[in-house]
mmCIF file of all heavy atoms in Angstrom:
data_model
loop_
_atom_site.group_PDB
_atom_site.id
_atom_site.type_symbol
_atom_site.label_atom_id
_atom_site.label_comp_id
_atom_site.label_asym_id
_atom_site.label_seq_id
_atom_site.Cartn_x
_atom_site.Cartn_y
_atom_site.Cartn_z
ATOM 1 N N SER R 129 -1.633 26.564 -14.236
ATOM 2 C CA SER R 129 -2.949 26.146 -14.687
ATOM 3 C C SER R 129 -3.186 24.717 -14.173
ATOM 4 O O SER R 129 -2.424 23.814 -14.478
ATOM 5 C CB SER R 129 -3.028 26.164 -16.198
ATOM 6 O OG SER R 129 -4.020 25.205 -16.639
ATOM 7 N N VAL R 130 -4.220 24.550 -13.345
ATOM 8 C CA VAL R 130 -4.462 23.248 -12.740
ATOM 9 C C VAL R 130 -4.689 22.177 -13.815
ATOM 10 O O VAL R 130 -4.143 21.079 -13.745
ATOM 11 C CB VAL R 130 -5.728 23.306 -11.801
ATOM 12 C CG1 VAL R 130 -6.041 21.922 -11.271
ATOM 13 C CG2 VAL R 130 -5.477 24.278 -10.596
ATOM 14 N N GLU R 131 -5.423 22.527 -14.865
ATOM 15 C CA GLU R 131 -5.712 21.532 -15.919
ATOM 16 C C GLU R 131 -4.473 21.121 -16.664
ATOM 17 O O GLU R 131 -4.225 19.922 -16.880
ATOM 18 C CB GLU R 131 -6.741 22.129 -16.898
ATOM 19 C CG GLU R 131 -7.213 21.060 -17.902
ATOM 20 C CD GLU R 131 -8.554 21.376 -18.465
ATOM 21 O OE1 GLU R 131 -9.077 22.504 -18.223
ATOM 22 O OE2 GLU R 131 -9.109 20.517 -19.165
ATOM 23 N N VAL R 132 -3.631 22.115 -17.016
ATOM 24 C CA VAL R 132 -2.404 21.751 -17.720
ATOM 25 C C VAL R 132 -1.492 20.925 -16.853
ATOM 26 O O VAL R 132 -0.939 19.904 -17.295
ATOM 27 C CB VAL R 132 -1.663 23.064 -18.203
ATOM 28 C CG1 VAL R 132 -0.256 22.774 -18.720
ATOM 29 C CG2 VAL R 132 -2.476 23.802 -19.238
ATOM 30 N N LEU R 133 -1.354 21.322 -15.609
ATOM 31 C CA LEU R 133 -0.470 20.633 -14.682
ATOM 32 C C LEU R 133 -0.976 19.162 -14.525
ATOM 33 O O LEU R 133 -0.199 18.186 -14.516
ATOM 34 C CB LEU R 133 -0.539 21.354 -13.319
ATOM 35 C CG LEU R 133 0.561 21.089 -12.362
ATOM 36 C CD1 LEU R 133 1.948 21.180 -13.007
ATOM 37 C CD2 LEU R 133 0.491 22.087 -11.200
ATOM 38 N N LYS R 134 -2.274 19.005 -14.315
ATOM 39 C CA LYS R 134 -2.840 17.683 -14.125
ATOM 40 C C LYS R 134 -2.578 16.828 -15.420
ATOM 41 O O LYS R 134 -2.194 15.629 -15.321
ATOM 42 C CB LYS R 134 -4.366 17.787 -13.907
ATOM 43 C CG LYS R 134 -4.988 16.423 -13.624
ATOM 44 C CD LYS R 134 -6.527 16.484 -13.735
ATOM 45 C CE LYS R 134 -7.058 15.067 -13.931
ATOM 46 N NZ LYS R 134 -8.447 15.081 -14.395
ATOM 47 N N GLU R 135 -2.791 17.396 -16.548
ATOM 48 C CA GLU R 135 -2.581 16.679 -17.810
ATOM 49 C C GLU R 135 -1.138 16.261 -17.956
ATOM 50 O O GLU R 135 -0.854 15.134 -18.375
ATOM 51 C CB GLU R 135 -3.028 17.576 -18.957
ATOM 52 C CG GLU R 135 -3.611 16.787 -20.123
ATOM 53 C CD GLU R 135 -4.453 17.767 -21.010
ATOM 54 O OE1 GLU R 135 -5.588 18.110 -20.617
ATOM 55 O OE2 GLU R 135 -3.890 18.143 -22.038
ATOM 56 N N GLU R 136 -0.219 17.173 -17.679
ATOM 57 C CA GLU R 136 1.247 16.905 -17.818
ATOM 58 C C GLU R 136 1.667 15.797 -16.859
ATOM 59 O O GLU R 136 2.360 14.825 -17.258
ATOM 60 C CB GLU R 136 2.020 18.158 -17.512
ATOM 61 C CG GLU R 136 1.961 19.244 -18.570
ATOM 62 C CD GLU R 136 2.785 18.903 -19.804
ATOM 63 O OE1 GLU R 136 4.012 18.564 -19.588
ATOM 64 O OE2 GLU R 136 2.232 18.880 -20.882
ATOM 65 N N ILE R 137 1.229 15.955 -15.598
ATOM 66 C CA ILE R 137 1.655 14.888 -14.628
ATOM 67 C C ILE R 137 0.989 13.587 -15.030
ATOM 68 O O ILE R 137 1.587 12.491 -14.920
ATOM 69 C CB ILE R 137 1.294 15.343 -13.186
ATOM 70 C CG1 ILE R 137 2.175 16.542 -12.806
ATOM 71 C CG2 ILE R 137 1.463 14.218 -12.197
ATOM 72 C CD1 ILE R 137 1.903 17.133 -11.454
ATOM 73 N N GLY R 138 -0.273 13.607 -15.457
ATOM 74 C CA GLY R 138 -0.931 12.408 -15.928
ATOM 75 C C GLY R 138 -0.181 11.724 -17.027
ATOM 76 O O GLY R 138 0.025 10.526 -17.040
ATOM 77 N N ARG R 139 0.295 12.539 -17.967
ATOM 78 C CA ARG R 139 1.079 11.969 -19.093
ATOM 79 C C ARG R 139 2.346 11.335 -18.610
ATOM 80 O O ARG R 139 2.713 10.271 -19.026
ATOM 81 C CB ARG R 139 1.366 13.100 -20.107
ATOM 82 C CG ARG R 139 1.965 12.673 -21.455
ATOM 83 C CD ARG R 139 2.454 13.826 -22.288
ATOM 84 N NE ARG R 139 3.418 14.667 -21.540
ATOM 85 C CZ ARG R 139 4.675 14.355 -21.331
ATOM 86 N NH1 ARG R 139 5.153 13.202 -21.796
ATOM 87 N NH2 ARG R 139 5.514 15.150 -20.616
ATOM 88 N N ILE R 140 3.051 11.990 -17.679
ATOM 89 C CA ILE R 140 4.246 11.411 -17.122
ATOM 90 C C ILE R 140 4.013 10.107 -16.452
ATOM 91 O O ILE R 140 4.739 9.152 -16.551
ATOM 92 C CB ILE R 140 4.899 12.441 -16.138
ATOM 93 C CG1 ILE R 140 5.436 13.652 -16.859
ATOM 94 C CG2 ILE R 140 6.026 11.752 -15.316
ATOM 95 C CD1 ILE R 140 5.692 14.823 -15.956
ATOM 96 N N LEU R 141 2.860 10.003 -15.810
ATOM 97 C CA LEU R 141 2.436 8.768 -15.097
ATOM 98 C C LEU R 141 1.880 7.723 -16.060
ATOM 99 O O LEU R 141 1.610 6.601 -15.656
ATOM 100 C CB LEU R 141 1.416 9.107 -14.036
ATOM 101 C CG LEU R 141 1.855 9.856 -12.797
ATOM 102 C CD1 LEU R 141 0.686 10.338 -11.949
ATOM 103 C CD2 LEU R 141 2.828 8.975 -11.957
ATOM 104 N N GLY R 142 1.760 8.088 -17.300
ATOM 105 C CA GLY R 142 1.222 7.131 -18.300
ATOM 106 C C GLY R 142 -0.281 7.057 -18.355
ATOM 107 O O GLY R 142 -0.855 6.171 -18.946
ATOM 108 N N LEU R 143 -0.974 8.052 -17.728
ATOM 109 C CA LEU R 143 -2.417 7.985 -17.633
ATOM 110 C C LEU R 143 -3.085 8.445 -18.922
ATOM 111 O O LEU R 143 -4.310 8.424 -19.009
ATOM 112 C CB LEU R 143 -2.915 8.826 -16.440
ATOM 113 C CG LEU R 143 -2.290 8.427 -15.078
ATOM 114 C CD1 LEU R 143 -2.923 9.246 -13.965
ATOM 115 C CD2 LEU R 143 -2.412 6.948 -14.832
ATOM 116 N N ASP R 144 -2.266 8.854 -19.925
ATOM 117 C CA ASP R 144 -2.873 9.102 -21.255
ATOM 118 C C ASP R 144 -3.028 7.784 -22.056
ATOM 119 O O ASP R 144 -3.463 7.777 -23.155
ATOM 120 C CB ASP R 144 -2.006 10.113 -22.030
ATOM 121 C CG ASP R 144 -0.545 9.687 -22.094
ATOM 122 O OD1 ASP R 144 -0.148 8.770 -21.355
ATOM 123 O OD2 ASP R 144 0.207 10.250 -22.934
ATOM 124 N N GLN R 145 -2.622 6.683 -21.395
ATOM 125 C CA GLN R 145 -2.754 5.398 -22.077
ATOM 126 C C GLN R 145 -3.753 4.539 -21.353
ATOM 127 O O GLN R 145 -4.174 4.884 -20.247
ATOM 128 C CB GLN R 145 -1.380 4.696 -22.030
ATOM 129 C CG GLN R 145 -0.259 5.569 -22.585
ATOM 130 C CD GLN R 145 1.041 4.841 -22.592
ATOM 131 O OE1 GLN R 145 1.101 3.618 -22.657
ATOM 132 N NE2 GLN R 145 2.132 5.576 -22.580
ATOM 133 N N GLN R 146 -4.105 3.383 -21.949
ATOM 134 C CA GLN R 146 -4.928 2.398 -21.234
ATOM 135 C C GLN R 146 -4.108 1.202 -20.954
ATOM 136 O O GLN R 146 -3.245 0.752 -21.676
ATOM 137 C CB GLN R 146 -6.120 2.011 -22.126
ATOM 138 C CG GLN R 146 -7.280 2.960 -22.005
ATOM 139 C CD GLN R 146 -8.586 2.251 -22.268
ATOM 140 O OE1 GLN R 146 -8.623 1.094 -22.769
ATOM 141 N NE2 GLN R 146 -9.678 2.900 -21.967
ATOM 142 N N PHE R 147 -4.331 0.665 -19.706
ATOM 143 C CA PHE R 147 -3.642 -0.529 -19.283
ATOM 144 C C PHE R 147 -4.687 -1.594 -18.952
ATOM 145 O O PHE R 147 -5.622 -1.335 -18.238
ATOM 146 C CB PHE R 147 -2.841 -0.228 -18.005
ATOM 147 C CG PHE R 147 -1.729 0.785 -18.207
ATOM 148 C CD1 PHE R 147 -1.957 2.107 -18.045
ATOM 149 C CD2 PHE R 147 -0.509 0.324 -18.672
ATOM 150 C CE1 PHE R 147 -0.948 3.059 -18.262
ATOM 151 C CE2 PHE R 147 0.543 1.268 -18.905
ATOM 152 C CZ PHE R 147 0.280 2.637 -18.704
ATOM 153 N N ARG R 148 -4.498 -2.736 -19.553
ATOM 154 C CA ARG R 148 -5.388 -3.876 -19.296
ATOM 155 C C ARG R 148 -4.805 -4.701 -18.150
ATOM 156 O O ARG R 148 -3.682 -5.183 -18.293
ATOM 157 C CB ARG R 148 -5.689 -4.653 -20.563
ATOM 158 C CG ARG R 148 -6.355 -3.785 -21.631
ATOM 159 C CD ARG R 148 -6.741 -4.548 -22.831
ATOM 160 N NE ARG R 148 -7.819 -5.494 -22.580
ATOM 161 C CZ ARG R 148 -9.125 -5.159 -22.624
ATOM 162 N NH1 ARG R 148 -9.537 -3.898 -22.910
ATOM 163 N NH2 ARG R 148 -10.047 -6.077 -22.350
ATOM 164 N N VAL R 149 -5.619 -4.855 -17.104
ATOM 165 C CA VAL R 149 -5.129 -5.538 -15.905
ATOM 166 C C VAL R 149 -5.886 -6.828 -15.691
ATOM 167 O O VAL R 149 -7.104 -6.860 -15.789
ATOM 168 C CB VAL R 149 -5.375 -4.649 -14.667
ATOM 169 C CG1 VAL R 149 -4.817 -5.268 -13.398
ATOM 170 C CG2 VAL R 149 -4.825 -3.236 -14.889
#
Side-chain angles (χ1 to χ4, degrees):
Chain R
S129 153
V130 175
E131 187 157 9
V132 170
L133 199 49
K134 183 194 160 196
E135 213 161 282
E136 287 285 308
I137 293 179
R139 189 190 55 77
I140 292 164
L141 289 168
L143 305 184
D144 53 345
Q145 308 182 24
Q146 275 209 347
F147 296 91
R148 298 185 69 84
V149 184

